[in-house]
Amino acid sequence: MTAAGRAKSGAKRLLERTGFQLVRSTTPQGGVDDFIPFEPTMRAARAAGLSVGDYIDEVMNGTPGATQSTVDRLRTLGVFAAKPDTVLEIGPGSGRYLEKTLKECSPSRYEIYETAEPWANHLVDTFGVVARPVTGFSLDATADDSVDLVQAHKVFNTLTFLGTCRYFFEMARVTRPGGRIVFDVMTETCLDPETMRVWATKGGSGHDSFPAAMPRGTCVDLFATLGFSLEADFLVPLGVASTEVLVFKNTA
């Protein structure tokens, strides 16, 4: 059995042990609270004896440790060694990356842009972050050159091409010189012919606009024109395949 198969088998056993029936939409375009509903997910995580983030990784996604491994790679790359004083996250959802980020650094301000109100309220109450109003694909509540680390995990694979592009310009605008931008996108690196076949046959019903692809060269070239250099890249699990994390630094 493959590692992915073992993970899914373990998730199934955990569901059977806790007696919880997994409730999850097949259309993530509706937002994280539709795709990962707040109350049922919180109850299930408590019943399983797991944090919400670990429950989503292990049970809902069948990829145990995926979030932690991403954060570990960012630590190895020195992203947190810079001791970012201000962090901004687009679409934190359940907060699984937010929680682990706060274990790596101690920013004086952590801003979030989250459309799912129950999750946003939970993150504000639990972690003391600042929830900004979401208006389209804008970060207009955040000042220019004011953030040390801007990140978005498992977000741009669910957005349209133009929505992602608009966020890219906004992320560059708010990042101060020397700051970093971290996000993942489904690039051509993740889309060899066999992987495309897997997505087409096993990706799940209702996933017509998800996952959304974004050319790697397009990202690198755009951020270069905005004064950012690509520092690192690596693959992380997404659904039945993978997505690529890109780390940029503002060299202005």
Side-chain angles (χ1 to χ4, degrees), residues 9-27:
S9 178
K12 181 179 179 181
R13 289 195 299 272
L14 182 55
L15 286 172
E16 292 172 346
R17 177 166 60 82
T18 60
F20 178 76
Q21 293 296 313
L22 186 62
V23 177
R24 187 172 189 169
S25 169
T26 59
T27 53

Side-chain angles (χ1 to χ4, degrees), residues 38-191:
F38 178 75
E39 289 292 349
T41 304
M42 294 293 286
R43 289 197 304 270
R46 287 194 293 268
L50 297 171
S51 69
V52 174
D54 288 343
Y55 177 82
I56 291 173
D57 275 353
E58 183 174 336
V59 180
M60 300 186 80
N61 293 341
T63 54
T67 300
Q68 187 62 57
S69 67
T70 298
V71 172
D72 290 344
R73 287 293 297 272
L74 296 177
R75 183 197 314 115
T76 300
L77 292 169
V79 170
F80 304 116
K83 297 181 180 179
D85 185 56
T86 53
V87 179
L88 184 154
E89 185 170 353
I90 299 170
S94 65
R96 63 188 192 272
Y97 290 92
L98 183 158
E99 179 179 16
K100 294 184 186 301
T101 295
L102 289 176
K103 292 180 180 179
E104 299 291 338
C105 59
S106 302
S108 63
R109 186 177 79 252
Y110 198 122
E111 300 183 18
I112 63 170
Y113 285 79
E114 174 54 57
T115 58
E117 187 175 351
W119 284 113
N121 292 340
H122 168 69
L123 297 181
V124 170
D125 293 342
T126 304
F127 300 105
V129 299
V130 179
R132 298 301 193 192
V134 179
T135 55
F137 302 101
S138 171
L139 305 176
D140 55 7
T142 302
D144 295 0
D145 303 327
S146 64
V147 181
D148 296 303
L149 172 61
V150 179
Q151 60 180 352
H153 300 278
K154 304 300 193 298
V155 172
F156 298 138
N157 303 293
T158 70
L159 299 184
T160 64
F161 175 82
L162 287 179
T164 296
C165 289
R166 288 166 182 149
Y167 267 133
F168 283 172
F169 284 104
E170 283 289 88
M171 294 165 84
R173 176 184 66 80
V174 303
T175 304
R176 61 168 47 109
R180 288 182 171 86
I181 292 176
V182 177
F183 61 86
D184 67 289
V185 283
M186 182 165 287
T187 67
E188 60 272 29
T189 308
C190 312
L191 292 171

